[in-house]
Amino acid sequence: MNAARCAISCKGLSFNNIFFKRENTFSSLIPLIFCNKLSRLNFHKTRFTQCSDDGDNVKKRTRLRKYVEGASLNKARHWNVVAYATAEGYDLHKLRKALAEQALYIPSELTSNEPLESGVGCALHAVAKYQVTPENRHIYCFEEGSVVMWNVSTVEQNSIIQFLKPYEVKSYHTGIVQEEMELMFYTYNQSKRTYIHDGIMYIGIIDKDLESIASDRYTLSNAMSLSVKLGVLEVLLDMYICETECLSEDLKIGNPVRLDQRGILRKSGELFALRHSINLSTDLLDTPDFYWDRENLESLYQRSCYYFSIPRRTKVMNEKLNHCVELIQLVTSHLSDRHHVRLELMIIVLILVEVMFEILHYFGKT
């Protein structure tokens, strides 16, 4: 499998000629030995660049839900809502100032009883200054690096993403961002209940004031932002698993591990950084503080998270992370033992050299 993944071709000999044709002459073994050594030297670079940062070589994951595509929607009563996760985080303070200076989107309260500078919910809500359709455009920027746009065209979406780049913290690659975006639709429902069904968000408006409708919109945006953020983290974890797959293969067939202690330390740092992003820097494991005193919104938030399968996806990711941690710990222990054995051999050799000098010195005197 190692040779197959490297796809070696040297000195005009094809892969089949080298590895599948049996030659008994010594001359035919020379290119085979040379290619094997070359593959051992270049396999680390080849294998660890197969899952590049652009996400192009990552196997496309099956979507957890197939949202409506080409469904019979009433264009006059249904609008799109899209979510992107573009970075590990946003500087919301600078972003709010930039939006105020741009004067195209007006920073607004999340709800009418939530002060603009309170920071509760760790999100920034902005409303389009110029309303071109009966339904206004809303933007929600969340601190964990995701943005949700309501009733925004594709051209305007790209402009907003470009506008956010200076305020991103550790941006994701554009290919991953575009691949993991979420597209849904929303409409207003003549009932009290707000819910999601078949890729459509139904916002209940009966007996609700503008504050309640804005709160429901924010709650749906919060759940959708977590879903798209989790999707990007899933891609990053798949890339990490692809990069470290050769370690388990080496251990299985008894070959020396292709990473040194410095490389394993770097991979350990990447793993724990990814684990930190999943379990500590986001609200994937817990309900945000924003909903503690809002039971009706908390119920809507939990139902929305269940619709996006966030609890189950988070559990699966943590199980994969635990497996990766065990693999890295095993490889670290193996490299440490190998290093100790090398030091012991060096000490033994030095002792033997010293003994030889003492023997020569003794016979020299006699």
Side-chain angles (χ1 to χ4, degrees):
M1 181 177 181
N2 296 345
R5 296 299 293 270
C6 290
I8 304 169
S9 178
C10 56
K11 290 190 176 182
L13 296 177
S14 64
F15 176 86
N16 293 329
N17 289 334
I18 294 176
F19 292 98
F20 295 106
K21 288 188 178 181
R22 297 183 178 179
E23 299 291 340
N24 297 325
T25 60
F26 178 76
S27 61
S28 64
L29 295 177
I30 295 177
L32 175 61
I33 297 174
F34 173 78
C35 289
N36 282 333
K37 289 183 178 295
L38 182 62
S39 66
R40 297 292 296 177
L41 292 175
N42 294 335
F43 182 84
H44 168 73
K45 181 178 180 181
T46 305
R47 184 55 178 258
F48 280 81
T49 55
Q50 286 178 350
C51 297
S52 57
D53 293 336
D54 57 3
D56 295 336
N57 295 329
V58 181
K59 183 179 179 181
K60 186 176 181 180
R61 298 176 296 106
T62 303
R63 304 294 292 180
L64 294 175
R65 289 186 179 273
K66 184 178 180 180
Y67 300 125
V68 290
E69 295 180 0
S72 57
L73 299 175
N74 187 344
K75 294 183 179 180
R77 298 185 58 187
H78 290 79
W79 303 271
N80 68 314
V81 50
V82 294
Y84 294 88
T86 64
E88 291 188 7
Y90 292 142
D91 190 339
L92 296 184
H93 183 69
K94 293 182 179 179
L95 180 58
R96 180 182 288 111
K97 292 183 177 179
L99 287 174
E101 294 176 357
Q102 188 191 42
L104 293 178
Y105 304 93
I106 303 174
S108 178
E109 294 83 358
L110 298 177
T111 61
S112 61
N113 60 353
E114 200 67 54
L116 184 62
E117 301 292 339
S118 64
V120 176
C122 298
L124 173 63
H125 176 213
V127 182
K129 182 177 181 180
Y130 304 101
Q131 185 172 344
V132 296
T133 62
E135 177 67 14
N136 206 349
R137 307 188 303 281
H138 298 265
I139 302 174
Y140 293 90
C141 299
F142 292 87
E143 191 177 30
E144 64 267 13
S146 54
V147 56
V148 182
M149 312 175 200
W150 295 68
N151 192 28
V152 177
S153 64
T154 303
V155 176
E156 191 174 359
Q157 293 172 23
N158 296 330
S159 300
I160 293 173
I161 291 176
Q162 293 298 324
F163 178 81
L164 293 174
K165 285 187 178 299
Y167 313 102
E168 295 176 349
V169 180
K170 297 181 180 179
S171 303
Y172 297 134
H173 191 274
T174 305
I176 299 178
V177 173
Q178 295 295 332
E179 178 67 23
E180 294 304 315
M181 60 88 69
E182 296 280 358
L183 170 62
M184 300 182 68
F185 298 91
Y186 76 97
T187 186
Y188 295 101
N189 186 24
Q190 297 296 327
S191 66
K192 296 181 180 180
R193 182 169 174 261
T194 298
Y195 61 95
I196 307 175
H197 180 69
D198 288 341
I200 301 178
M201 297 178 177
Y202 296 92
I203 303 177
I205 60 175
I206 296 297
D207 297 334
K208 289 185 179 181
D209 52 13
L210 294 178
E211 176 190 347
S212 299
I213 297 175
S215 300
D216 290 351
R217 187 190 300 112
Y218 167 75
T219 303
L220 295 173
S221 300
N222 196 356
M224 193 173 181
S225 69
L226 287 180
S227 177
V228 70
K229 179 72 173 183
L230 184 57
V232 172
L233 294 177
E234 287 170 344
V235 170
L236 297 179
L237 179 58
D238 289 343
M239 293 172 61
Y240 183 89
I241 293 174
C242 181
E243 292 174 354
T244 57
E245 184 180 357
C246 65
L247 299 179
S248 58
E249 293 178 359
D250 288 339
L251 295 175
K252 181 177 67 175
I253 62 180
N255 286 341
V257 179
R258 293 179 177 85
L259 283 181
D260 55 9
Q261 290 182 337
R262 184 176 181 180
I264 288 296
L265 182 62
R266 185 173 62 252
K267 286 298 173 185
S268 300
E270 294 176 4
L271 179 61
F272 281 96
L274 184 58
R275 200 171 191 178
H276 182 276
S277 299
I278 296 172
N279 295 315
L280 299 180
S281 62
T282 60
D283 293 319
L284 294 172
L285 297 179
D286 195 10
T287 303
D289 298 344
F290 181 81
Y291 304 102
W292 280 10
D293 56 347
R294 300 173 175 86
E295 296 181 358
N296 58 331
L297 295 181
E298 182 178 1
S299 176
L300 175 60
Y301 173 79
Q302 293 176 351
R303 294 198 309 269
S304 302
C305 290
Y306 179 79
Y307 177 85
F308 291 111
S309 302
I310 291 177
R312 183 178 64 85
R313 293 162 62 189
T314 304
K315 181 180 179 181
V316 171
M317 286 197 66
N318 277 312
E319 291 177 354
K320 291 182 179 180
L321 285 171
N322 291 334
H323 174 76
C324 293
V325 169
E326 293 177 358
L327 176 62
I328 293 298
Q329 290 177 348
L330 179 61
V331 174
T332 302
S333 177
H334 172 72
L335 292 178
S336 180
D337 292 341
R338 192 172 66 178
H339 180 68
H340 293 160
V341 170
R342 188 183 298 111
L343 292 178
E344 292 175 357
L345 290 176
M346 293 175 61
I347 294 174
I348 293 174
V349 171
L350 291 176
I351 293 175
L352 290 177
V353 171
E354 184 178 359
V355 170
M356 293 296 297
F357 275 109
E358 290 295 333
I359 293 175
L360 291 177
H361 183 69
Y362 173 77
F363 284 104
K365 288 183 178 181
T366 58

